[in-house]
C-alpha cells in the first residue's frame, strides 16, 4: 500500500489501526502482541497513587520504571488481601534502581502497617542509596467525629 493511501485510510478511519496511539498491522495482531505494552519513554509526575491499594496484582517493577514520581502514595491496610504488598514495595526499589538518575523520591504510606514497617527497616540502606525517603505522618486531621493521620505535601 502506498504511503499516501495508508495515511488517507488512517484519517478516514481513525484509531482502527492504533493501539495506545501506536500503528499496528491488523493482520499480525495476535493475543500475545495485543497484550504487550509498547516501549516508550518514562512519564514524570509529581505525585502518583500506587494502584489497587498497593496490591501486587497489577503493580510491578515496570510500573516504577515507567511512572517516575517525586511522591508515591501507598494506601493499603488489609493484610488478608496483601495490601500493601511487600512485593510492590520491593518493586519500587528495583524499578527506581534502573532510572539512571538519582532523583529524590518520597513514599507516603497512608497507614502504619506491619508490612511497611518491616520493609522500611529491612531495606533502609537500599532506600538511602536510591534517595528514597519514607514520610511518616506527623499531623492529625479531625473531621466531624473522625480523626486520622495526615501528611502535608508542598510543590
Amino acid at each position: 500500500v502506498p504511503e499516501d493511501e495508508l495515511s488517507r485510510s488512517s484519517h478516514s478511519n481513525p484509531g482502527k489501526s492504533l493501539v495506545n496511539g501506536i500503528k499496528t498491522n491488523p493482520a499480525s495482531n495476535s493475543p500475545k502482541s495485543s497484550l504487550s505494552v509498547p516501549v516508550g519513554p518514562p512519564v514524570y509526575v509529581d505525585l502518583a497513587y500506587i494502584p489497587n491499594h498497593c496490591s501486587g496484582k497489577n503493580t510491578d517493577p515496570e510500573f516504577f520504571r515507567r511512572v517516575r514520581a517525586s511522591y508515591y502514595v501507598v494506601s493499603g491496610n488489609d493484610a488478608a488481601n496483601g495490601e500493601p504488598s511487600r512485593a510492590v514495595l520491593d518493586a519500587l526499589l528495583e524499578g527506581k534502581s534502573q532510572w539512571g538518575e538519582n532523583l529524590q523520591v518520597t513514599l507516603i504510606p497512608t497507614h502504619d502497617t506491619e508490612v511497611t514497617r518491616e520493609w522500611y527497616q529491612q531495606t533502609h540502606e537500599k532506600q538511602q542509596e536510591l534517595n528514597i525517603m519514607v514520610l511518616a505522618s506527623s499531623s492529625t486531621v479531625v473531621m466531624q467525629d473522625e480523626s486520622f493521620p495526615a501528611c502535608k505535601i508542598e510543590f
Side-chain angles (χ1 to χ4, degrees), residues 26-111:
S28 69
N29 277 350
S30 68
K32 186 175 181 182
S33 68
S34 67
L35 294 176
S36 65
V37 177
V39 176
V43 175
Y44 291 86
V45 296
D46 288 329
L47 179 72
Y49 178 91
I50 298 176
N52 204 23
H53 303 287
C54 197
S55 166
K57 294 175 187 164
N58 57 3
T59 305
D60 60 8
E62 185 63 20
F63 173 81
F64 296 106
R65 280 194 285 276
R66 298 192 62 181
V67 178
R68 299 180 181 185
S70 297
Y71 298 87
Y72 290 102
V73 176
V74 176
S75 76
N77 193 21
D78 188 355
N81 284 321
E83 299 168 3
S85 166
R86 170 68 189 251
V88 172
L89 297 172
D90 289 339
L92 166 63
L93 297 175
E94 184 181 335
K96 173 97 170 49
S97 71
Q98 297 178 27
W99 286 12
E101 51 194 331
N102 202 15
L103 301 174
Q104 169 75 46
V105 167
T106 303
L107 195 65
I108 306 169
T110 61
H111 295 87

